[in-house]
Amino acid sequence: MSKFILRRLLIAIPTLFAISFVVFAILELSPVDPLGNLPLTITPEEREKIREAMGANAPFHVKYAKWVVQFVINEPLNILEQVTGIKIGDSEGRLRYISYQTRSPIVDLVIQRLPQTLWVVGTAYLLSVLIAVPIGVLSAYKPYSIFDQVGTFFAIVGYSLPTFFTGLLFIIIFSVNLKWFPSVYDTTHRVTDMQSLLVQLRQIFMPTLVLALYFTAQISRFTRSSMLEHLNQDYIRTARSKGISERAVIMRHALRNSLIPVVTLVALGIPAIFQGAIITEQIFRVNGLGQLLILAIQGGDLPTVQALTFIFAVLIVIFNIVADVLYALLDPRVRLS
Amino acid sequence: MRKSALRIAVLVLIVAMTMGTLGFAVAQEGDTLNILYWQAVSTLNPYLSGGTKDIEGGSLVLEPLARYNELGEMVPWLVDEIPTVENGGVSEDLMSITWTLSEGLVWSDGTPVTSADVVFTWQYCTHPDAGCNALSKFTDVTNVEAVDDRTVVITFGVPKPFPYGPFVGAQSPIIQAAQFADCVGANAQNCTDQNFYPIGTGPYVVTNFLANDVVEFAANPNYREEGKPYFQRIVFKGGGDAESAARAVLETGEFDYAWNLQVVPQILDQMVAAGQGQLVVSFGTSVERIHINHTNPDSALGDMRSVWVPDGSNGHPFLQVPEIWKAMSMAIDRDLIASQLYGAAGKATCNLLPAPAAYASPNNEACLVQDIAGANALLDGAGIVDSDGDGVREYNGIPLRVLYQTSTNAVRQATQALIKDWWAQIGIEAELRNIDAAVFFGNDLASPDTYGKFYADVEMFTNNYDGTDPEAYMAQWTCAEIAGPDNDYLGNNISRWCNPDYDALVAQMAQTGSLQERAALAIAMNDMIVQDGAMIGLVHRGDVSAISNSLEGVLMNSWDSELWNVADWTRSN
């Protein structure tokens, strides 16, 4: 098993290098200008000097080499130092990967924003798994019943409505008309007691719901089909004929087996939910990684876009490995060779 | 099975209901001011900013020596009076200006503000490796010298009839020498703490900065005016889009102030009807205009595309013909564009220079009324007719087909569509093109799509100038400023329009001190640009922000930071 994981990790390294090069090259070749938002009153000659000072004019290979060094060596060391508190080498003089927009190290921005994304994305995912699996099981247990029909309807609606639409719809209903939930996420809010936790829950309610709607639909459909497949298997009939209670048949026999592909789907879906968060965070002004990415794209802040795109790529690769490993762990029939 | 699912559903519903019925705290109360900028602040150092949002955020903390009020008049800020020739503050030969700081000024950390800080600010911005974006404020400055603790003398290399560039307005405030001492030159880029938490003289100090998201400010305990500011805390949130920002003030009431609301006027009107807030508008110098390419943008020309040649041999095949660009201008219904697409934020204009009032030309009012029949008659009279019956006129056998480009933006695309239709009615066919703003306004030499390269026949965008003196702005239209490969397309004369008479006026203005004569010259220059077909003015654009009904004291300002008088803002009960 450990051999398998190790091999997958080693294969991931060249994959990530290839991705990093493609990401860097594509973005570097784009004609976006980090100074595009400056007032036109600043003359082109001055812009040229500003670009020079930002390092935006360096040749491609120099920029890429710097990028790799900073990303692979310097920033991990910085994070290690921050976590452990141990100084490693010349930490003051180390080159940092600086954003064009903020002139501050990008990794700091990422660390600052990760918790919000995890709050929203994490609760949304948890919520959708909690809701979706029972719905899926029930739908499969009584296929084509009214419950199943209603479930199917909502799944199709949830799956096909884009988050930017449902987000806006929720704001109009819950913020503008009912005034139940805030439409703007307050980043300065700190959770210290029950009262403030309630405030926090209230302000992540809408972004969470928007994301959850989408994923509930997907996961419940998947659970349903997987469950249906297993309910028709011979071993279920055997279990039933042994006189085991219906509840035990469903929960212990059918559900357990049908969850194997669902778990893989859940693991594989995690990077996707990060992407879904990009739009949701922008709508509700949650200062997560997704919003950082959008702002960086709008501002022509190439280093930040490159860093975030790469981080998303890393997440996808990692969760792919996790999904593979989980699958192998859960289903002994899967061979690792 | 069914029961448990039901239980979960009921539980979720109950949680949602209890959370909901508690309602969210409405932001429009108490001594916290909630400001929403849909472009988030990236840095509070205006010298390194990437846009207006940063300059305005920084203006809560950092202040210039003098600034512009809502009428575009200069008001002393960190000084007691504006230096002029009359009061001896500006030398007779217009080569130097002497500023005297007010007595007893302190930074928010309690240390005194001295002339050394002013000198340092100049050194900081003009260092060749700093990448400072306010360099143009310091054009022709040869020296900034501290005579004593409160007196600064700025010396210019040439006579400056308008010496109020350095340290006036939100773009060139004074920074603290002690704080930024290690941030000179290339180090400017690495001083994250200084750029995020600048020490200033303004009514607020930064208490928390989350880049590209939110800034928290607290009242400056050392602020020079007793009892001000009223608001003890400011939450300066950023991000999202203009429409939802307007909604947060006008409909949900979560915020007190939302900036730069370029939203379809009909939608804004609907939001105002909700009764939570109102719009505030002011007009600066921004004009949406169509630049006419005076060179040939034909792609067959290769390297010579849209390149100006002094002997005029690479001129545009038909856009230099007066009847043609005059007809194009006459065919446009500017009032319709202004009222339908800009609403409160636009007024029809034909001028390049619409404000301040003294500089606005009254001589180009005729084009404010659309005249399609007149335009057709003008073209017919000049013998420019549709000879092959395809609906498009020909000039010397060349069909009048133009490529009309602009940046991607709903209002601009709607304007394009209207104008295309009007031009079609006078036998001129327009092909529309829109380019992402970050590319269009960029200067990537490898990109053919920048506004500077101008690989099109006409292009539309907005430009303006800071402050109230148009000299530098008008000087952008000289022959020497024509954008082309020799200056890496960094020249300011985008239309590639060259008129020696105009150059003479520019030279004359540089030597004219009297404000009245300068105004007359500015009007003459504006008229020459308009009446010689360098560009077609469309809409004088205002700035629109939304404020909550309880907010008082806002004086909307297009000449300086919109937040320029935030110390005077209060909340009514």
Side-chain angles (χ1 to χ4, degrees), chain B residues 347-494:
Chain B
K347 294 190 278 201
T349 187
C350 308
N351 289 323
L352 171 73
L353 195 62
Y359 295 88
S361 165
N363 307 326
N364 303 303
E365 303 300 300
C367 74
L368 290 177
V369 182
Q370 185 188 29
D371 184 7
I372 289 191
N376 273 320
L378 186 68
L379 289 169
D380 289 342
I384 303 165
V385 291
D386 177 17
S387 49
D388 54 8
D390 61 353
V392 180
R393 293 173 191 269
E394 287 89 27
Y395 173 76
N396 285 346
I398 307 165
L400 303 188
R401 290 201 171 89
V402 293
L403 177 61
Y404 176 10
Q405 69 180 18
T406 186
S407 72
T408 309
N409 164 327
V411 174
R412 292 214 164 110
Q413 266 71 81
T415 311
Q416 273 186 321
L418 285 173
I419 292 179
K420 177 187 167 94
D421 180 49
W422 291 323
W423 284 352
Q425 294 179 35
I426 60 167
I428 295 174
E429 188 183 281
E431 184 192 338
L432 304 184
R433 183 152 189 260
N434 66 77
I435 301 157
D436 184 78
V439 176
F440 187 60
F441 294 117
N443 291 110
D444 186 353
L445 265 182
S447 165
D449 298 324
T450 64
Y451 79 110
K453 281 243 173 109
F454 204 170
Y455 286 172
D457 300 291
V458 292
E459 65 183 0
M460 178 172 73
F461 57 90
T462 287
N463 202 348
N464 69 315
Y465 68 94
D466 297 309
T468 55
D469 182 67
E471 184 182 335
Y473 187 53
M474 300 311 274
Q476 293 177 355
W477 294 81
T478 57
C479 304
E481 277 290 336
I482 287 176
D486 48 336
N487 54 20
D488 286 348
Y489 295 94
L490 299 180
N492 288 306
N493 185 347
I494 303 297

Side-chain angles (χ1 to χ4, degrees), chain A residues 136-144 148 152 220-236 240 254-255 257-259:
Chain A
V137 172
L138 274 181
S139 300
Y141 186 61
K142 293 233 171 108
Y144 311 111
D148 185 28
T152 309
S220 72
R221 287 286 87 188
F222 207 80
T223 315
R224 178 182 180 273
S225 63
S226 168
M227 194 75 184
L228 266 184
E229 195 183 308
H230 282 271
L231 279 176
N232 292 329
Q233 299 278 324
D234 289 344
Y235 70 87
I236 296 293
R240 280 193 178 129
L255 181 60
N257 284 313
S258 10
L259 275 188

Side-chain angles (χ1 to χ4, degrees), chain B residues 34-108:
Chain B
N34 292 287
I35 298 177
L36 184 57
Y37 271 45
W38 55 269
Q39 289 187 337
V41 173
S42 305
T43 175
L44 285 176
N45 183 347
Y47 291 117
L48 299 181
S49 90
T52 317
K53 42 150 185 150
D54 301 332
I55 295 171
E56 305 226 335
S59 75
L60 294 170
V61 175
L62 299 168
E63 296 177 314
L65 296 179
R67 68 187 336 156
Y68 296 99
N69 67 10
E70 76 280 10
L71 303 171
E73 298 158 351
M74 219 183 300
V75 286
W77 211 251
L78 299 180
V79 296
D80 293 329
E81 66 171 353
I82 305 279
T84 59
V85 179
E86 287 75 37
N87 66 23
V90 176
S91 68
E92 286 292 336
D93 60 359
L94 307 177
M95 300 280 280
S96 74
I97 179 169
T98 307
W99 293 89
T100 308
L101 293 167
S102 298
E103 206 167 343
L105 274 183
V106 287
W107 295 103
S108 58

Side-chain angles (χ1 to χ4, degrees), chain A residues 117 120-122 124-125 128 211-212 215 268-278:
Chain A
T117 298
V120 173
V121 167
Y125 218 38
S128 42
L211 274 179
F215 279 92
L268 274 178
I270 288 175
I273 204 163
F274 275 102
Q275 290 151 21
I278 294 174

Side-chain angles (χ1 to χ4, degrees), chain A residues 30-33 36-51 53-54 98 101-105 109 112-113 130 134 137-138 142 168 171-172 174-176 179-185 187-188 190 198 201-202 205 247 250-251 282 285 287 291-292 295 298, chain B residues 1-2 5 16-17 19-20 22-24 36 40 42-43 48-51 129-133 135-136 171 189 192 196 208 210-214 216 233 237-241 244-245 247 251-252 254-255 276 438-439 441-444 447 451 461-466 490 492:
Chain A
S30 77
V32 172
D33 185 347
N37 285 328
L38 273 179
L40 284 178
T41 47
I42 291 166
T43 62
E45 294 89 351
E46 287 164 40
R47 281 163 198 266
E48 216 28 57
K49 284 185 191 155
I50 297 170
R51 233 173 267 124
M54 288 197 302
I98 302 272
Q101 268 184 322
T102 66
R103 322 283 167 115
S104 68
L109 290 178
Q112 200 177 68
R113 279 163 177 269
L130 282 180
V137 172
L138 274 181
K142 293 233 171 108
L168 200 62
I171 288 182
I172 304 253
F174 292 114
S175 292
V176 176
K179 299 209 186 296
W180 283 6
F181 301 104
S183 71
V184 178
Y185 186 91
T187 332
T188 59
R190 299 274 165 276
L198 208 65
L201 287 178
R202 195 185 304 144
F205 183 79
R247 191 187 172 85
I250 303 292
M251 298 297 277
Q282 177 74 358
R285 298 186 164 84
N287 69 330
Q291 197 210 25
L292 185 65
L295 286 174
Q298 285 172 349
Chain B
M1 217 51 228
R2 185 176 294 248
M17 296 290 269
M19 279 164 60
L22 289 169
F24 56 86
L36 184 57
S42 305
T43 175
L48 299 181
S49 90
D129 299 332
C132 171
N133 63 29
L135 266 184
S136 63
Q171 282 189 333
Q189 312 286 330
T192 308
F196 284 2
N208 184 20
L210 299 176
N212 278 355
D213 175 32
V214 73
E216 284 179 274
R233 180 167 169 257
K237 176 81 178 175
D241 58 291
S244 61
R247 185 174 293 120
E251 287 196 310
T252 70
E254 290 164 85
F255 281 80
Q276 297 265 8
V439 176
F441 294 117
N443 291 110
D444 186 353
S447 165
Y451 79 110
F461 57 90
T462 287
N463 202 348
N464 69 315
Y465 68 94
D466 297 309
L490 299 180
N492 288 306

Side-chain angles (χ1 to χ4, degrees), chain B residues 18-19 33 110 127 141 171 191 230 308 340 343 365 373 445 550:
Chain B
T18 45
M19 279 164 60
L33 174 65
H127 192 287
V141 174
Q171 282 189 333
C191 283
Y230 169 87
W308 179 71
Q340 292 303 306
E365 303 300 300
L445 265 182
S550 65

